[in-house]
Amino acid sequence: WQSSVSRQKYFDNAIEELIRNVELQLDDTTIKQQYQAVAFLFVSQFHTYNFADIVHKVYEGLDQKVVLLSLIGGGVIGENEEFDESTPVISMLWGVVPPGAKAYSYFDGPKQSMAALFPPPSLASSGRQNSRIVFADPWFDVEESILSNSGRNDIVIGGISCPSAFADEFRPTVAINGTALPQGSAAGICF
């Protein structure tokens, strides 16, 4: 697993810096061919108004096989520092899933058209232990959607996005791959 952080004020410059670092660190084609890559993008509240553009451009800059989850954070951690919400910072963590595992993204939330693009897993009855990483916005009903649809032994971890108090309440704060999701959504990866 690797990480990179950019403190560029202009998000286009920050994205170029992050993608360049990913390409340098994941340049081994053997890794790309044998394992599935997963990335997590953490965007500070400074970039709230550009969140949808940021996640779209980052996903375009990555290999399309990478599963990308993104969210706005009240604080962003990178390079052994924590940056507050007023700092222009974007951080990315990426790596590969264990051999034999398959990561896929899914959506859970209010718009059924989005669910068709990223269907939620029906894992509770699969008979095996599943692992999920889920990022939700503050309006998402975690108990109703995630916990009630998980198997008894499933491992579920995640976090909640932190929308800016100065942004209008309907701005997206979580995303899957290059798609910012509507209010009341969760973006997840299942293994």
Side-chain angles (χ1 to χ4, degrees), residues 77-97:
I77 297 173
E79 296 178 345
N80 296 318
E81 285 187 68
E82 181 174 358
F83 304 94
D84 69 24
E85 65 276 356
S86 64
T87 305
V89 63
I90 302 173
S91 178
M92 188 163 34
L93 171 68
W94 65 91
V96 295
V97 297

Side-chain angles (χ1 to χ4, degrees), residues 29 35 84 86 103 111 141:
T29 55
Y35 301 101
D84 69 24
S86 64
K111 289 193 176 180
D141 188 343

Side-chain angles (χ1 to χ4, degrees), residues 132-186:
R132 289 195 238 182
I133 301 171
V134 180
F135 294 127
D137 69 25
W139 301 276
F140 180 75
D141 188 343
V142 173
E143 187 173 338
E144 176 66 29
S145 295
I146 295 172
L147 300 179
S148 66
N149 291 314
S150 296
R152 198 173 89 188
N153 295 318
D154 286 359
I155 299 168
V156 181
I157 64 167
I160 297 175
S161 66
C162 297
S164 170
F166 302 107
D168 70 63
E169 62 185 273
F170 300 109
R171 291 207 172 266
T173 60
V174 295
I176 298 173
N177 298 335
T179 305
L181 302 175
Q183 182 180 4
S185 299

Side-chain angles (χ1 to χ4, degrees), residues 36-40 59 65-69 103-105 177 188-189:
Q36 183 178 7
V38 175
F40 303 96
Y59 188 65
K65 293 180 183 175
V66 173
V67 175
L68 175 67
L69 289 189
Y104 62 91
S105 56
N177 298 335
I189 295 179

